[in-house]
Amino acid sequence: MLAVSAVSFSSADPLGGLQISERPEPDAKPGWTKVTMRASTLNRHDLWSLKGVGLRREQLPRILGCDGAGIDEFGNEVIIHNVVTSPGWSGPAPLDPKRSMLSENFDGTFASTVLVPTFNLVPKPAEMSWTTAACCSLTMLTAYRMLFVQAGLRPGDLVLIQGAGGGVNSAAIQLAAAAGIRVWASSRDEHRRMRALGLGAEQAFESGARLPEKVDAVIDNVGKATWSHSINVLRSGGTLVTCGATTGEPEKTELTKIFFRELRVHGSTSGSIDDLRNLASFVQTAGITPVIDQELPLAQARRAFARMEAGEIFGKIAFTY
């Protein structure tokens, strides 16, 4: 079967360790199901894997890919929940300290056939496109949990989404706007700010700009470049939710502001399988179509990785099978 794998690590040249080749199909095992893939998407996690983050050399070669959708052994159309919990874990998957994402301890979804825990398969709404289903699997799931579970946002609340253009951030704009939440977005790039307005943002600001009023919550996966701004624009009692730090760790924690104004800082990683079920229903009912930068056959994965490394993507790159 065709697969996209990490065969070596390099922080300077991550694409040097990317291999697109034929690999053996996975062997069946109890409690796991083979899924014939129909779509998946590229995530920054995949690029970090090529830099050696989250993987050990003894795990190589490792098939990459964290999300996707396809057809199981019984002919059911399914969305893959990407978090694999440890044996005996019964709580929400993101809280399992021994959890693993697909492409970490187990091969990922950038292959024609993928072996997935049967528990991790969620029915795909019949009318939902394969590309939309693949985006629900991780990117939209992450945004959904950040907005509605961790930040607890409700219709009429005001949220600032830092870094408009990234996959999670563009998804967060769409989901929040569809739920009746007021959305502001930020970006250094004027074109991306205009795109954010088209996705449902009420206003779009240059990164670090002074805002007309304080916000109820901030969605921030940028990290160092936006952290202080995110803290400063929150109203007292507001919530900052982070799922990453693409520009690195913040230099200052802003602890004085956090405790004096009773701010909440929530970490967030992917989402639970119940979140995924709720998300799929919401996306289908609301008629949300995720932002797709490009659709490419899996065989052209190197082109997609290069585009991500260059920072040229707005939304998601989807792979078709």
Side-chain angles (χ1 to χ4, degrees), residues 70-126:
I71 300 174
D72 71 11
E73 298 171 14
F74 308 101
N76 301 306
E77 297 185 347
V78 295
I79 305 173
I80 296 170
H81 183 234
N82 61 85
V83 183
V84 181
T85 56
S86 57
W89 179 261
S90 60
L95 300 183
D96 180 1
K98 296 181 180 180
R99 71 186 184 274
S100 173
M101 288 180 65
L102 292 173
S103 79
E104 293 178 344
N105 291 338
F106 309 95
D107 279 331
T109 56
F110 290 170
S112 304
T113 303
V114 176
L115 196 64
V116 180
T118 305
F119 177 78
N120 284 50
L121 300 179
V122 169
K124 179 183 81 67

Side-chain angles (χ1 to χ4, degrees), residues 21 43 62 67 104 116 121 201 212 244 259 278:
S21 63
N43 292 280
R62 173 66 75 220
D67 65 25
E104 293 178 344
V116 180
L121 300 179
F259 75 71
N278 293 334

Side-chain angles (χ1 to χ4, degrees), residues 121-195:
L121 300 179
V122 169
K124 179 183 81 67
E127 301 81 8
M128 181 178 283
S129 74
W130 287 114
T131 300
T132 297
C135 289
C136 285
S137 179
L138 175 58
T139 299
M140 298 188 83
L141 176 62
T142 300
Y144 181 91
R145 186 172 180 85
M146 294 176 79
L147 291 165
F148 304 118
V149 179
Q150 309 294 43
L153 290 168
R154 298 292 182 266
D157 288 343
L158 176 60
V159 62
L160 172 67
I161 297 172
Q162 298 276 31
V168 169
N169 299 332
S170 58
I173 293 171
Q174 291 182 288
L175 291 170
I181 295 164
R182 296 176 60 205
V183 181
W184 289 351
S186 76
S187 177
R188 294 171 298 174
D189 182 82
E190 183 178 1
H191 176 66
R192 289 173 178 252
R193 294 197 294 272
M194 295 302 100
R195 292 285 300 272

Side-chain angles (χ1 to χ4, degrees), residues 3-308:
V4 177
S5 308
V7 297
S8 65
F9 302 139
S10 172
S11 57
D13 179 26
L15 271 64
L18 184 68
Q19 183 181 83
I20 303 172
S21 63
E22 293 293 322
R23 293 280 301 273
E25 284 203 7
D27 295 326
K29 61 180 180 180
W32 291 60
T33 298
K34 288 186 181 182
V35 176
T36 301
M37 296 297 294
R38 287 291 180 265
S40 61
T41 77
L42 181 64
N43 292 280
R44 189 159 293 276
H45 184 280
D46 302 308
L47 189 59
W48 283 109
S49 294
L50 290 168
K51 297 181 179 183
V53 178
L55 284 177
R56 303 183 302 276
R57 294 192 184 278
E58 58 267 27
Q59 293 175 301
L60 300 180
R62 173 66 75 220
I63 296 175
L64 299 172
C66 308
D67 65 25
I71 300 174
D72 71 11
E73 298 171 14
F74 308 101
N76 301 306
E77 297 185 347
V78 295
I79 305 173
I80 296 170
H81 183 234
N82 61 85
V83 183
V84 181
T85 56
S86 57
W89 179 261
S90 60
L95 300 183
D96 180 1
K98 296 181 180 180
R99 71 186 184 274
S100 173
M101 288 180 65
L102 292 173
S103 79
E104 293 178 344
N105 291 338
F106 309 95
D107 279 331
T109 56
F110 290 170
S112 304
T113 303
V114 176
L115 196 64
V116 180
T118 305
F119 177 78
N120 284 50
L121 300 179
V122 169
K124 179 183 81 67
E127 301 81 8
M128 181 178 283
S129 74
W130 287 114
T131 300
T132 297
C135 289
C136 285
S137 179
L138 175 58
T139 299
M140 298 188 83
L141 176 62
T142 300
Y144 181 91
R145 186 172 180 85
M146 294 176 79
L147 291 165
F148 304 118
V149 179
Q150 309 294 43
L153 290 168
R154 298 292 182 266
D157 288 343
L158 176 60
V159 62
L160 172 67
I161 297 172
Q162 298 276 31
V168 169
N169 299 332
S170 58
I173 293 171
Q174 291 182 288
L175 291 170
I181 295 164
R182 296 176 60 205
V183 181
W184 289 351
S186 76
S187 177
R188 294 171 298 174
D189 182 82
E190 183 178 1
H191 176 66
R192 289 173 178 252
R193 294 197 294 272
M194 295 302 100
R195 292 285 300 272
L197 293 175
L199 293 177
E202 182 182 291
Q203 295 190 64
F205 302 90
E206 189 169 353
S207 297
R210 185 180 182 89
L211 302 184
E213 62 180 289
K214 299 289 188 180
V215 302
D216 297 296
V218 178
I219 301 300
D220 188 339
N221 56 26
V222 180
K224 180 180 178 179
T226 56
W227 186 263
S228 289
H229 184 251
S230 294
I231 293 294
N232 287 331
V233 300
L234 282 169
R235 64 166 178 79
S236 295
T239 304
L240 188 160
V241 186
T242 177
C243 69
T246 56
T247 60
E249 297 283 345
E251 293 179 349
K252 297 194 303 180
T253 60
E254 306 284 359
L255 279 179
T256 302
K257 295 175 183 176
I258 290 171
F259 75 71
F260 185 74
R261 291 162 49 209
E262 293 200 351
L263 304 179
R264 292 183 291 273
V265 177
H266 264 296
S268 198
T269 302
S270 186
S272 71
I273 196 162
D274 286 338
D275 292 335
L276 179 54
R277 293 189 183 100
N278 293 334
L279 166 68
S281 177
F282 177 54
V283 167
Q284 186 61 27
T285 301
I288 297 171
T289 301
V291 181
I292 302 300
D293 182 87
Q294 288 184 343
E295 282 194 25
L296 296 171
L298 187 63
Q300 295 184 24
R302 185 175 299 277
R303 176 179 163 189
F305 274 84
R307 187 167 172 79
M308 173 170 279

